Structure formats: C-alpha cells, structure tokens
C-alpha cells in the first residue's frame, strides 16, 4: 500500500504545482508553451518506466500476474501509449464542447484542471472494478473484446460534426438540477443573480467534459486491461496519460484540421485490442507486436493526415 500512497501523493504534488505555481496566473496557453508541457509530461511518464522496473525487480509491490521487470515495463509503456492515443479523440470532443459553450481560451486550462482531477477519481474506481471483474470472471474479457470491436465500428461510421453538447443528454440533466446563466463571470463556476445561485457556462462545460470522459474511459480501460490485469500498471499508465491531456489539448486542438484522419488510427488500435481480447485464451500476442501496431497506426494516421492536407491545399 505504501507504493500506492506514494504514487497518489506524487500525482497530488504534480497537480498542486500545476495550478498553484506554474499556472497560478490565468493566461492563454500558447502553442510553444503547450508543446513544452506536453514534452515534459511525456518525459515524466516514460521515465516512470524506470520506477516500474525497480518496483518489480525488488518485489516492492504485489505482482498478481507474475510479471518479470522487463515485461512489466513493456506492458506499462504499451498501456500508456494506448491511453495517450485514445486521448486524441477526447481532444476533438473537448474542442467542440468549449466552442459550443463559448469558453474563452483564458479559462480553458482551469476547466481542464478540475475536469482531470475528477477523471482521476472516476478512472481509479473503474480500474478497480475492471480488474476485479477480469480476475473473478475470466469470460468477461470476451465481453470487453466485443465492446471494443463495436466501439471501433461505431467510430468508423460516426461523424464528429453530429455532436452538439447543447443537445446532449448530459446537458439536459444539468439544466434540470441547476439554473444556468448564459453569462460568463470571470473564472467563477457559479454566480448569484437576483437571489438565485446559477451555474455559469464554465461549470456546464466542466460537467459535460467530466461525464464525457467517463464515456471515453469505457473504451480506454478495457483496452489497457487487454494488455495487463496488473492494477498498478493499469492505474499508473492511465493516470500519467491523463495528466498530459491538458497540454496535449492546447497543442493538438489548434491543428485539428491537420489531423482529420487520426480517427482511423484509433479504429485500428481499438479493433486490434478487441481481437487480442477475444483470442487471449487461444493465441499469445508478443508484446512487441502490440507496441508495433499502436506505433504504426498512429504514425500512419498522422502521415496520411499531413499528406492529404498538403494535397488539398495544393
């Protein structure tokens, strides 16, 4: 338990430094700053693989799936890359939500900070539940596999332009609970108007992002559980990927047009992981194959997006 407590304490320190020191004064996150922070978070996450090796090498943490230190590192990196790649789709949706509720760039970081704090709690609960299910009922892995294949198919057929946060079920439910103001009031989530406490568009955007992230977690958690059922590897790879989501949003959201074909990469990744789950009791997929498929799918999606964007421009 000491390792878990130390890791959660480290995450809380990161979050405190982020909001209390590095982003104490609200400002618009420029592309250069976002690129630097994205590089920092990726470096922190990749460096943590050294900690994973040390933990498993010295038996400092429970090892329910009997992983060797090197295998634990590969599974951690694979899980991290899966979560990071699936987060790209999350970025597209967040951009639509901010645009729909007219959230100024000045306050977007604040919304994402609190959104990610809530996401960490919900993801932790879902991971514990998912690991418990796979451990208790081996057949549940087939359910996860079918679900991921269905998600991949749905993603292939869906059109992001159809998503309207103001018409979503989540927004309608929030509207029933809180009176909603159409006016922004600085970075406040609530204002008092004519004696009534009303939610600002900032709070509505936060709730919609929070609950949307839970829906995304329904894809990403089973995808990582296909790689390993070790709870610490699943949790640490997932949370470290989420921590880098804010900076990645400010970096990628300004280049959405350039990455319009990245969705096909996510379809390939989800489909591969779904097939891997369905065949898990019959075929053993080597770890290098999972890493290669994820890397090639992402590189292919980015390359295709940039090449086709150049052709369209020409």
């Amino acid at each position: 338990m000491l390792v878990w407590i130390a890791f959660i304490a480290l995450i809380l320190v990161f979050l405190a430094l982020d909001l209390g020191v590095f982003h104490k004064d609200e400002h618009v996150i420029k592309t250069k700053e976002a690129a630097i922070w994205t590089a920092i978070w990726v470096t922190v996450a990749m460096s943590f693989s050294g900690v994973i090796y040390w933990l498993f090498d010295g038996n400092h943490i429970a090892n329910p799936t009997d992983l060797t230190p090197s295998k634990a590192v590969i599974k951690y990196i694979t899980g991290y890359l899966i979560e990071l790649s699936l987060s790209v789709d999350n970025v597209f949706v967040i951009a639509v939500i901010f645009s729909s509720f007219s959230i100024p760039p000045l306050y977007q970081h604040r919304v994402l900070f609190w959104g990610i704090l809530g996401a960490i709690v919900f993801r932790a609960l879902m991971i514990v539940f998912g690991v418990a299910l796979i451990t208790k009922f081996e057949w549940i892995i087939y359910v996860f596999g079918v679900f991921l294949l269905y998600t991949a198919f749905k993603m292939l057929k869906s059109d992001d332009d159809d998503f309207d946060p103001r018409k979503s079920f989540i927004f309608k439910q929030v509207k029933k609970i809180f009176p909603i103001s159409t006016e922004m009031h600085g970075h406040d989530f609530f204002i008092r108007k004519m004696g009534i406490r009303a939610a600002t568009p900032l709070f509505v955007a936060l709730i919609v992002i929070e609950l949307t992230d839970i829906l995304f977690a329904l894809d990403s958690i089973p995808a990582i559980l296909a790689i390993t059922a070790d709870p610490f590897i699943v949790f640490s790879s997932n949370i470290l990927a989420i921590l880098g989501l804010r900076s990645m949003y400010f970096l990628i959201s300004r280049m959405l047009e350039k990455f319009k074909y990245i969705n096909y990469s996510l379809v390939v990744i989800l489909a591969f992981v779904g097939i891997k789950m369905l065949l898990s009791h019959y075929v053993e997929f080597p770890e290098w194959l999972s890493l290669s498929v994820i890397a090639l799918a992402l590189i292919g999606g980015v390359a295709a997006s940039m090449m086709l964007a150049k052709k369209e421009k020409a």
Side-chain angles (χ1 to χ4, degrees), residues 29-276:
I29 310 292
K30 302 289 185 184
T31 303
K32 185 181 177 182
E33 184 184 352
I36 292 169
W37 275 107
T38 300
I40 289 170
W41 286 120
V42 170
T43 303
V44 167
M46 296 309 287
S47 301
F48 194 75
S49 60
V51 177
I52 294 288
Y53 187 92
W54 172 74
L55 288 172
F56 281 83
D57 187 46
N59 295 318
H60 300 300
I61 193 166
N63 188 0
T65 53
D66 295 321
L67 295 173
T68 62
S70 53
K71 265 199 170 183
V73 168
I74 293 172
K75 285 181 181 294
Y76 164 78
I77 293 171
T78 307
Y80 173 74
L81 289 177
I82 283 178
E83 177 58 38
L84 203 64
S85 58
L86 293 177
S87 294
V88 173
D89 202 42
N90 211 344
V91 167
F92 285 76
V93 175
I94 290 170
V96 173
I97 292 168
F98 279 151
S99 174
S100 178
F101 293 109
S102 304
I103 306 299
L106 184 64
Y107 304 124
Q108 287 179 3
H109 182 275
R110 176 178 167 82
V111 174
L112 288 177
F113 174 87
W114 291 107
I116 281 164
L117 193 62
I120 288 172
V121 176
F122 285 120
R123 296 278 176 121
L125 293 171
M126 291 178 78
I127 287 166
V128 169
F129 183 66
V131 170
L133 274 178
I134 282 186
T135 308
K136 187 90 174 169
F137 310 105
E138 283 192 9
W139 54 265
I140 206 76
I141 200 163
Y142 299 123
V143 178
F144 286 161
V146 170
F147 178 73
L148 289 178
L149 285 174
Y150 170 72
T151 305
F153 176 75
K154 212 167 100 176
M155 193 179 283
L156 186 66
K157 294 289 183 183
S158 70
D159 184 2
D160 286 333
D161 295 334
D162 293 340
F163 178 66
D164 184 356
R166 289 181 177 274
K167 293 179 181 176
S168 67
F169 173 79
I170 297 167
F171 177 71
K172 288 172 184 174
Q173 298 311 304
V174 172
K175 210 171 178 182
K176 288 178 183 176
I177 300 168
F178 299 104
I180 295 175
S181 168
T182 54
E183 300 171 15
M184 294 289 299
H185 196 268
H187 65 213
D188 294 336
F189 289 126
F190 288 93
I191 58 169
R192 193 164 285 280
K193 199 173 180 183
M194 298 174 67
I196 298 171
R197 194 164 180 255
T200 65
L202 216 62
F203 179 77
V204 179
L206 170 63
I207 296 299
V208 175
I209 287 172
E210 195 74 76
L211 296 178
T212 304
D213 180 76
I214 293 173
L215 297 177
F216 276 104
L218 292 175
D219 302 334
S220 63
I221 301 296
I224 294 179
L225 288 172
I227 304 302
T228 179
D230 184 276
F232 186 74
I233 291 177
V234 174
F235 182 69
S236 57
S237 60
N238 204 277
I239 299 307
L240 287 170
I242 288 174
L243 285 177
L245 179 61
R246 285 158 303 159
S247 52
M248 196 168 76
Y249 166 77
F250 291 108
L251 180 64
I252 295 178
S253 61
R254 297 183 179 112
M255 301 184 284
L256 289 178
E257 286 302 310
K258 290 183 181 178
F259 295 106
K260 60 169 74 173
Y261 296 100
I262 199 76
N263 262 19
Y264 294 107
S265 300
L266 306 183
V267 169
V268 170
I269 291 168
L270 284 174
F272 170 75
V273 174
I275 291 167
K276 186 178 177 181

Side-chain angles (χ1 to χ4, degrees), residues 285-297:
F285 288 82
E287 300 304 328
W288 62 264
L289 181 62
S290 299
L291 272 173
S292 301
V293 169
I294 294 163
L296 287 172

